[in-house]
């Protein structure tokens, strides 16, 4: 994601992080409760333990006038331990029933944790299907420390849906942490005249009956929950294919009507250019969505980056499309490694500027490096993003500087081979900073610990 300045004003209060973990002393061979968190110590209740999701099928009905969401989520997963019960993340909304492998399950709720007790315990390594029926008026997350307002955000004509870091729980039950990626199917029914945009590609033509239209979308590639979207509203669409052959769909709120052709064209050009720099485009389509909700940020929703309330310039489009490789195809296992997303996407903006004959990456790097030693980006080591200040500028610009310092140290040839190799070796996977450092050392044959330590982990300006 990238903010547009407004969010910086919100970085004020501190978030208290609740320590929470199960200590279950029962026999190891008996079914146990799955943990209420996936194991990210910075976000202890995000995601859940004990299972791995393969697929979400989300059947949604939404009425903008009443903000009423009616949902049915069918989750295919595999138990990674014998489970007597397991948790899903869900914020607000009313659950009317849950079935596991077709049998009614009991459930309880506490905060954003939905605990499901199947009629029979689940065996380790065995796939299961949980179906959850739910409804209500979604409440977005309003977080003064990180993103501001995110999740499923009702708008006058529909909804703006951007969920980083943990807002998927505002509109569907799931394992809401990037460490558990899954494929998605969407079936979204809205009033006639309204469009529903989700990830991946549209399946068939929208079907209208009785004044309501159903849109079906499918993302077959693994996707983190925070990249899922069901953005709804009045949109003008432009379809096509990039010069490189990638299906390209742009959608803009009527307020941005005059920008549609250019937005579509630039998104296609940049996708093709990144394919030459980072390697083959990882997904089935590209494009983007410009909605009129003034979010103050853009988010790299998989295959459909979303821009909240402004006409994006090519720099921010370059950023969000670079995330399709770095953040989406390769996603982080834990939030503290966020520079692997944001430092890369920021550096991509510099590469784009250089490509277009603007300032070179070297000039941009030099301008940042010239900031005084008292500048806040030097006090915040970007290699360890802080949960209460996840999207700090350092994670972006000092993260980007880290890559430029690396490029200087290993040379252009090795550096650009490294970017492609990183994207190819971990395509659709989950990554850590340690893995990136190891690959950089392997490809360059250099000992790079001092460089990464100075740029990523020290609270001072590197020399
Ligand atoms: Zn970003």
């Amino acid at each position: 994601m990238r903010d547009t300045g407004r969010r910086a004003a919100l970085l004020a209060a501190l978030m208290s992080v609740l320590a929470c973990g199960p200590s279950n002393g029962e026999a190891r061979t008996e079914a146990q409760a799955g943990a209420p968190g996936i194991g990210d110590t910075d976000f202890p209740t995000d995601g859940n333990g004990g299972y791995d999701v393969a697929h979400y099928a989300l059947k949604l009905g939404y009425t903008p006038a009443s903000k009423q969401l009616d949902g049915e989520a069918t989750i295919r997963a595999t138990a990674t331990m014998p489970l007597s019960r397991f948790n899903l993340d869900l914020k607000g909304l009313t659950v009317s029933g849950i079935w596991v492998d077709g049998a009614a399950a009991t459930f309880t709720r506490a905060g954003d944790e939905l605990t499901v007790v199947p009629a029979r315990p689940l065996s380790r390594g065995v796939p299961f299907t949980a179906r959850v029926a739910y409804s209500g008026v979604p409440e977005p997350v309003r977080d003064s420390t990180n993103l501001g307002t995110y999740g499923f955000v009702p708008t006058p004509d529909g909804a703006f849906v951007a969920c980083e870091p943990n807002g998927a729980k505002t509109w569907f039950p799931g394992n809401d942490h990037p460490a558990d990626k899954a494929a998605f199917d969407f079936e979204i029914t809205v009033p006639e005249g309204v469009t529903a945009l989700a990830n991946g590609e549209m399946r068939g033509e929208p079907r209208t009956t009785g004044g309501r239209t159903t849109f079906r979308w499918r993302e077959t590639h693994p996707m983190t929950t925070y990249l899922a979207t069901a953005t709804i509203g009045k949109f003008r669409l432009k379809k096509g294919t990039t010069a490189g052959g990638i299906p390209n769909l742009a959608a803009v709120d009527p307020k941005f009507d005059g920008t549609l052709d250019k937005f579509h064209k630039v998104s296609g050009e940049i996708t093709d250019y990144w394919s030459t720099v980072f390697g083959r485009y990882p997904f089935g389509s590209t494009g983007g969505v410009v909605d009129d909700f003034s979010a103050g940020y853009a988010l790299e929703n998989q295959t459909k980056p979303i821009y909240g309330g402004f006409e994006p310039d090519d720099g921010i489009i370059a950023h969000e499309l670079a995330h399709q490789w770095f953040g989406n195809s390769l996603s982080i296992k834990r939030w503290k490694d966020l520079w692997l997303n944001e430092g890369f996407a920021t550096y991509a903006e510099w590469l784009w500027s250089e490509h277009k004959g603007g300032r070179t990456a070297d000039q941009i790097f030099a301008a940042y490096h010239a900031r005084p030693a008292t500048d806040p980006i030097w006090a915040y080591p970007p290699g360890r993003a802080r949960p209460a200040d996840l999207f700090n500028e350092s994670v972006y610009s000092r993260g980007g500087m880290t890559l430029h310092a690396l490029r200087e140290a290993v040379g252009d040839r090795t550096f650009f081979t490294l970017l492609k190799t990183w994207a190819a070796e971990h395509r659709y996977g989950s990554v850590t900073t340690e893995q990136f450092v190891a690959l950089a050392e392997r490809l360059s044959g250099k000992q790079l610990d001092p460089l990464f330590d100075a740029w990523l982990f020290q609270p001072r300006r590197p020399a």
Side-chain angles (χ1 to χ4, degrees):
M1 68 90 62
R2 208 187 79 173
D3 75 46
T4 51
R6 174 181 163 275
R7 201 169 51 79
L10 298 169
L11 301 176
L14 282 174
M15 182 172 73
S16 67
V17 177
L18 301 174
C20 179
S23 66
N24 194 326
E26 291 167 24
R28 276 107 343 240
T29 51
E30 288 175 13
Q32 298 176 37
I38 205 166
D40 188 331
T41 50
D42 287 334
F43 292 86
T45 61
D46 282 9
N48 305 283
Y51 63 93
D52 180 39
V53 179
H55 184 264
Y56 293 91
L58 304 178
K59 191 173 174 182
L60 308 171
Y62 188 66
T63 304
S66 62
K67 301 179 186 172
Q68 173 74 18
L69 176 72
D70 294 300
E72 186 181 274
T74 303
I75 302 163
R76 279 199 288 114
T78 299
T80 56
M81 57 183 267
L83 283 174
S84 59
R85 59 195 176 106
F86 62 90
N87 279 21
L88 297 167
D89 302 306
L90 184 67
K91 174 178 153 62
L93 304 169
T94 300
V95 176
S96 55
I98 301 181
W99 297 263
V100 175
D101 291 332
T106 57
F107 57 92
T108 57
R109 302 191 68 179
D112 296 346
E113 296 293 330
L114 167 61
T115 300
V116 181
V117 184
R120 287 174 297 280
L122 303 170
S123 301
R124 177 183 175 153
V126 176
F128 66 92
T129 299
R131 183 163 62 90
V132 181
Y134 61 100
S135 62
V137 175
E139 277 288 331
V141 181
R142 297 180 205 280
D143 172 5
S144 60
T145 62
N146 275 323
L147 264 178
T149 299
Y150 64 95
F152 191 101
V153 185
T155 60
D157 66 352
F160 171 92
V161 183
C163 298
E164 192 178 19
N166 52 13
K169 66 187 174 192
T170 64
W171 60 288
F172 66 92
N175 202 12
D176 195 8
H177 187 280
D180 190 359
K181 303 168 78 165
F184 280 72
D185 271 280
F186 304 86
E187 184 182 315
I188 309 166
T189 301
V190 293
E192 189 174 359
V194 171
T195 299
L197 301 162
N199 312 88
E201 292 76 55
M202 199 187 284
R203 300 180 60 213
E205 289 299 309
R207 293 223 310 253
T208 301
T209 49
R212 289 179 73 82
T213 305
T214 298
F215 295 82
R216 297 165 80 209
W217 296 86
R218 173 171 286 174
E219 174 52 287
T220 58
H221 301 98
M223 180 165 77
T224 73
T225 49
Y226 77 81
L227 294 168
T229 191
T231 292
I232 295 164
K234 294 201 160 63
F235 285 104
R236 284 241 301 123
L237 269 54
K238 186 176 173 79
K239 296 177 194 173
T241 305
T242 72
I246 301 164
N248 180 14
L249 174 65
V252 300
D253 184 279
K255 185 178 163 188
F256 297 95
D257 212 17
T259 71
L260 178 60
D261 289 348
K262 184 179 163 205
F263 174 54
H264 182 260
K265 179 168 171 280
V266 172
S267 296
E269 282 173 7
I270 293 175
T271 303
D272 282 344
Y273 181 62
W274 287 155
S275 301
T276 70
V277 179
F278 306 141
R280 183 166 66 83
Y281 183 66
F283 304 121
S285 60
T286 186
V289 179
V290 180
D291 203 354
D292 76 338
F293 171 70
S294 297
Y297 57 82
L299 182 67
E300 63 268 22
N301 286 341
Q302 193 153 307
T303 70
K304 283 182 191 60
I306 190 164
Y307 305 88
F310 60 94
E311 180 190 355
D313 61 27
D314 60 344
I316 198 164
I317 295 172
H319 179 112
E320 305 307 336
L321 289 174
H323 273 311
Q324 304 306 312
W325 283 261
F326 306 114
N328 298 7
S329 170
L330 278 67
S331 52
I332 50 177
K333 280 183 186 151
R334 53 198 189 203
W335 285 109
K336 70 176 182 179
D337 289 332
L338 186 62
W339 85 278
L340 289 173
N341 297 2
E342 301 304 346
F344 280 62
T346 300
Y347 196 62
E349 290 181 53
W350 304 0
L351 293 175
W352 179 254
S353 169
E354 188 169 306
H355 172 65
K356 295 302 279 185
R359 287 198 302 164
T360 63
D362 202 51
Q363 288 169 331
I364 298 169
F365 172 88
Y368 276 111
H369 201 204
R371 287 190 183 186
T374 52
D375 191 281
I377 63 170
W378 307 127
Y380 185 126
R384 217 252 167 262
R386 299 170 187 168
D389 191 8
L390 204 53
F391 302 102
N392 187 283
E393 192 203 347
S394 172
V395 176
Y396 289 71
S397 48
R398 199 169 149 188
M401 295 170 78
T402 302
L403 290 176
H404 194 73
L406 176 65
R407 179 179 170 184
E408 296 277 284
V410 303
D412 275 13
R413 189 189 171 95
T414 299
F415 178 75
F416 287 102
T417 301
L418 170 63
L419 292 185
K420 276 187 173 159
T421 307
W422 178 239
E425 285 194 355
H426 297 282
R427 183 182 293 259
Y428 309 131
S430 304
V431 291
T432 63
T433 298
E434 290 84 347
Q435 289 174 309
F436 182 68
V437 172
L439 182 64
E441 292 191 335
R442 172 156 71 82
L443 293 187
S444 68
K446 287 181 158 59
Q447 168 55 253
L448 296 167
D449 285 333
L451 182 150
F452 283 111
D453 184 60
W455 280 99
L456 292 177
F457 300 113
Q458 294 304 318
R460 66 186 67 87
R461 183 172 62 182

